[in-house]
Amino acid sequence: MTRPLLFALSALALTPPAAAQLTGRPLPHPVFPPPQFEAAITAGTRTRTGEPGPTYWQNRAAYTLRATLDPTTNVLRGEGTIRYRNASPNELPFLVLKLRQNLHREDALRNRRVEITGGISLSGFTVGGRPVAEVTEGAPEPGRYRIDGTILTLALPEPLAPGAEVELAMNWQFRIPAAGAPRMGQDGEVYYIGYWYPQVAVYDDVYGWDTDQYLGLAEHYMGYATYDVTVTAPAGWLVWATGELQNIDEVLPLEIRRRLDRARTTDEIVRVVRENERQAGTSTARGEGGQLTWRFRAEDVRDFAFASSNRYVWDATRALVGGGDGTRDTVGIHAFYRPDRTTWRRAAEFARFSIEHLSETIIPYPYPHMTAVEGLIGGGMEYPMMTLIGVTRDDESLFGVTYHEIAHMWFPMIVGQDETAYTWMDEGLVSYNTNVGTDAFFDGSAPNRPEVDAWARNAQFHYFLAGTGYAVEPMRHNDQFPIGGGTQQVDPVQGAARVVASYSTPALLLRAIEGIYGRTRFLEAYQTYARTWSYKHPYPWDLFHSFEATLGEDLDWLWFPTLFETWTVDQAVGAVEQRADAVRVVVRDLGLAPMPAPVRVTYADGTTAEQTVPVATWLAGETEAALTFPAGTVRRVEIDPGGYLPDIDVTNNVWEVEQPVNSGASTSAPGGSGE
């Protein structure tokens, strides 16, 4: 079943209580899960406490694939088997497979421009050893399949019973599209191969089969599987992939293996393959008939990609991450790049920091390696254990994209969220981590580079649309954002809606939670969610329930305005009254999204006092509140001194006394009123 397109719930509008009716202030609507999610709770696969239920299940697949890369023709040939196990309680009369290379078919639906290659061609398709045939019209009968764009629907010869397995086998080939294809491709020197094999779609406990078409813009929802993959390429062409290399002695010369061994035991960056070594017999074994076959195995991953080039140099080092038993596990760190991309000489350093820092912030990285690959695309794209990063970049830019793409190893690689329908769950969480990681890495070491101030840049992008009428709620299907996807000209402001909703706004929401509850409690909630849903498929309501269970509070007042609506925060210092017995500060809430208002008063002698207007005040329908502080001469009053809240107008957050050039003092109230 296709997931329903998501939209803001303002049409349900709010039925405000009496207090809100008196002030005219709308209040956040309760966040109700859809009927399918409620049904999953009833069935025991989901809970209202943010954990999988006692009857939670996942179907699994095991892929045995063989790929042959031919750089002379730019054709990828594949063959393989898929063993699929039905762990659900339901009988499955048909299977759904994703053929993502069909994005490049002439007749495919898409929302961005792509090269037309003809898509993927299948042959020798069997089920349990029995041939199956294609039909072009109508629903396929048992033993037949139909291809509709990037979706293949296979009617099984016999329904797949609960607990049973079925084996599919097939051959396929496609012309590898040119660079920027999107997210994979080739430029004649570099080949990055993603979405290259038929993949069984997710069948889950909430919506059943995921039948969303791949239109080019939205990314993916994928199931966990085991992969045994061989890649045959010309000798002298380095190949690296998702998973662990199984036949290293057959494909890499002794000296290269020695350097890799050293990289596993040192914090230095080891030059594994150097510029003058890029040929068969030196960078790789000589092979037979000018070809080499590389074998890889990966477990508990949701996809498999590989890269190959005879122009790459290869750097390697290690990262040390905490193991579950208190030990330190070694993760291989690799960077493949063309030597004229000089900034990439720091790529392995950036990747190592990212893995170690993210492992401390979220949960330890579980896979054997993390590899950064240069080339082809305008930004970055994540695959299990691999990331592809393009465009010539300076240090700060390369670090930011590297950290961002590596953060995707947690969301959605480890925590298997549906990035097609709920893009903010991946990009928003990853953007939050990228900002934290960027601040930690540079630590003020680039004071003349404002673009390194990650949170300021993030906030600026959010405020670019906030309150303009162009903003779109994050809880919207990725293919339903008003951006045109490169197929038509759109207003540039409107064109930013997807990025702001999916990246900037949810990142600022997480930062607000961190500020409201403190970093320790926030990380407890964040890490609990990640641990609980590792190698599983959470929906937004699982995230909501998980955070609420850890923090001990219903957060609908937080989720609804920011994720289901485009309400904004705008708090202001309304007045400051300095009396003989006390200081009275009036706080005004000018926005629609309610947030606690932390206030700091700084006195002339440098001492401070802090209080907070609780969110309950605004939820009672008020738009103004007064706080009473100890008496004294006030120099400054500031709302949100930690800068955690996504306030769209910080100019009215501060009241301060100006010190004139001569003696004496006068008061002023930038953005507010002073007395």
Side-chain angles (χ1 to χ4, degrees):
M1 178 184 294
T2 302
R3 286 144 181 75
L5 301 182
L6 300 169
F7 53 88
L9 298 181
S10 56
L12 301 177
L14 313 171
T15 305
Q21 291 178 2
L22 290 175
T23 61
R25 175 178 189 144
L27 297 180
H29 195 282
V31 174
F32 296 116
Q36 295 90 339
F37 191 90
E38 291 285 1
I41 293 176
T42 301
T45 59
R46 307 274 162 164
T47 67
R48 299 191 192 280
T49 55
E51 300 170 336
T55 62
Y56 181 80
W57 52 264
Q58 282 182 209
N59 291 355
R60 302 276 297 195
Y63 295 83
T64 302
L65 309 176
R66 293 169 293 281
T68 300
L69 175 66
D70 186 349
T72 62
T73 62
N74 291 333
V75 170
L76 189 287
R77 293 179 175 84
E79 59 179 300
T81 61
I82 307 170
R83 191 159 190 84
Y84 185 74
R85 181 175 184 272
N86 179 17
S88 82
N90 308 316
E91 186 177 78
L92 301 179
F94 63 91
L95 303 183
V96 175
L97 279 71
K98 298 293 184 86
L99 305 179
R100 294 184 177 88
Q101 284 299 319
N102 275 355
L103 175 71
H104 299 273
R105 277 176 40 158
E106 179 70 38
D107 59 350
L109 295 173
R110 50 187 159 263
N111 53 18
R112 66 187 298 169
R113 292 190 181 97
V114 301
E115 179 185 1
I116 303 303
T117 66
I120 192 169
S121 298
L122 297 180
S123 61
F125 196 167
T126 64
V127 176
R130 298 159 58 182
V132 293
E134 182 179 6
V135 298
T136 57
E137 295 183 0
E141 298 177 352
R144 301 286 188 270
Y145 67 91
R146 182 179 177 185
I147 296 174
D148 177 16
T150 60
I151 299 296
L152 183 153
T153 303
L154 167 66
L156 294 169
E158 295 88 22
L160 187 63
E165 295 184 348
V166 64
E167 185 173 279
L168 315 180
M170 65 201 73
N171 302 326
W172 67 92
Q173 69 176 36
F174 62 87
R175 181 162 60 87
I176 304 167
R183 306 183 179 99
M184 52 83 66
Q186 55 80 24
D187 63 5
E189 294 184 345
V190 168
Y191 289 74
Y192 195 98
I193 309 301
Y195 317 132
W196 58 279
Y197 59 96
Q199 184 185 57
V200 182
V202 174
Y203 181 81
D204 71 21
D205 61 305
V206 178
Y207 286 106
W209 285 109
D210 166 28
T211 57
D212 281 334
Q213 294 276 354
Y214 177 40
L215 303 182
L217 181 62
E219 294 175 48
H220 310 292
Y221 186 31
M222 296 173 166
Y224 291 99
T226 298
Y227 289 84
D228 284 290
V229 180
T230 62
V231 179
T232 299
W237 286 65
L238 292 170
V239 175
W240 207 247
T242 299
E244 288 190 275
L245 181 61
Q246 302 294 297
N247 63 333
I248 188 170
D249 293 349
E250 298 175 11
V251 295
L252 294 178
L254 178 60
E255 179 57 28
I256 301 300
R257 302 200 305 270
R258 285 173 174 167
R259 294 174 189 173
L260 283 175
D261 288 341
R262 180 167 174 263
R264 296 186 186 99
T265 60
T266 181
D267 294 331
E268 299 176 9
I269 306 299
V270 177
R271 310 298 176 189
V272 178
V273 172
R274 298 156 187 168
E275 185 173 0
N276 62 347
E277 297 175 330
R278 298 176 294 170
Q279 61 269 333
T282 307
S283 63
T284 73
R286 294 189 181 278
E288 296 183 4
Q291 299 287 303
L292 278 175
T293 296
W294 307 60
R295 297 201 304 271
F296 298 89
R297 179 175 172 82
E299 298 180 358
D300 289 326
V301 296
R302 61 174 228 153
D303 195 11
F304 189 100
F306 65 92
S308 184
S309 178
N310 64 352
R311 307 309 304 155
Y312 278 150
V313 295
W314 180 0
D315 293 348
T317 186
R318 66 175 182 176
L320 298 176
V321 303
D325 56 359
T327 61
R328 302 279 279 176
D329 294 334
T330 299
V331 174
I333 301 294
H334 305 274
F336 291 83
Y337 59 96
R338 285 167 283 199
D340 60 328
R341 274 65 165 177
T342 55
T343 304
W344 272 76
R345 292 179 69 86
R346 298 191 67 185
E349 172 196 353
F350 296 159
R352 175 175 59 200
F353 177 89
S354 302
I355 286 292
E356 293 181 345
H357 188 260
L358 285 159
S359 294
E360 293 174 359
T361 304
I362 313 175
I363 57 176
Y365 183 73
Y367 298 125
H369 75 83
M370 183 64 225
T371 299
V373 177
E374 170 268 318
L376 302 181
I377 61 177
M381 184 58 201
E382 72 279 0
Y383 296 81
M385 307 182 217
M386 301 269 285
T387 180
L388 176 65
I389 301 171
V391 179
T392 301
R393 300 178 181 275
D394 59 19
D395 284 358
E396 290 83 5
S397 175
L398 180 59
F399 173 84
V401 178
T402 300
Y403 193 103
H404 181 97
E405 302 307 332
I406 289 178
H408 276 303
M409 298 305 110
W410 281 261
F411 308 106
M413 301 303 166
I414 298 172
V415 182
Q417 301 162 158
D418 180 352
E419 194 171 3
T420 311
Y422 313 103
T423 306
W424 68 268
M425 292 183 73
D426 293 300
E427 298 299 355
L429 273 59
V430 163
S431 295
Y432 166 83
N433 284 111
T434 303
N435 293 341
V436 173
T438 300
D439 288 347
F441 184 82
F442 289 101
D443 192 25
S445 62
N448 297 320
R449 298 295 300 274
E451 66 271 25
V452 179
D453 186 348
W455 282 115
R457 183 173 64 247
N458 200 151
Q460 183 180 23
F461 203 39
H462 168 73
Y463 303 146
F464 175 62
L465 287 189
T468 65
Y470 285 100
V472 174
E473 72 285 348
M475 281 287 285
R476 177 180 289 230
H477 191 286
N478 201 331
D479 288 318
Q480 295 298 314
F481 284 103
I483 81 166
T487 61
Q488 58 184 339
Q489 295 296 317
V490 296
D491 185 299
V493 178
Q494 186 179 13
R498 171 184 172 272
V499 176
V500 171
S502 300
Y503 294 70
S504 304
T505 299
L508 292 172
L509 174 63
L510 291 180
R511 181 170 169 82
I513 299 174
E514 179 186 339
I516 293 168
Y517 292 97
R519 182 158 180 78
T520 299
R521 294 188 68 196
F522 169 78
L523 285 181
E524 180 187 3
Y526 202 41
Q527 293 166 0
T528 297
Y529 169 69
R531 283 194 304 269
T532 300
W533 288 98
S534 291
Y535 313 110
K536 300 179 180 68
H537 295 304
Y539 278 82
W541 302 275
D542 296 305
L543 184 151
F544 301 156
H545 293 158
S546 179
F547 268 68
E548 290 170 350
T550 304
L551 296 174
E553 183 177 340
D554 186 321
L555 299 178
D556 284 1
W557 59 268
L558 195 63
W559 310 129
F560 180 84
T562 312
L563 298 176
F564 292 84
E565 280 287 358
T566 59
W567 294 3
T568 57
V569 177
D570 185 10
Q571 298 173 347
V573 179
V576 178
E577 302 175 15
Q578 302 189 63
R579 302 171 178 173
D581 59 341
V583 173
R584 183 175 183 269
V585 175
V586 175
V587 177
R588 301 177 64 196
D589 195 3
L590 306 176
L592 292 179
M595 288 275 185
V599 178
R600 177 186 294 165
V601 171
T602 302
Y603 296 91
D605 61 2
T607 61
T608 62
E610 296 185 357
Q611 292 189 54
T612 297
V613 179
V615 71
T617 300
W618 315 131
L619 294 178
E622 301 296 337
T623 58
E624 187 171 289
L627 298 173
T628 301
F629 292 86
T633 303
V634 177
R635 187 177 70 206
R636 179 182 175 91
V637 176
E638 183 176 6
I639 298 175
D640 186 28
Y644 284 98
L645 303 184
D647 195 307
I648 63 170
D649 182 9
V650 296
T651 64
N652 57 19
N653 285 19
V654 177
W655 177 100
E656 59 185 353
V657 175
E658 292 183 353
Q659 296 293 338
V661 176
N662 300 319
S663 60
S666 61
T667 62
S668 64
S673 60
E675 297 178 32

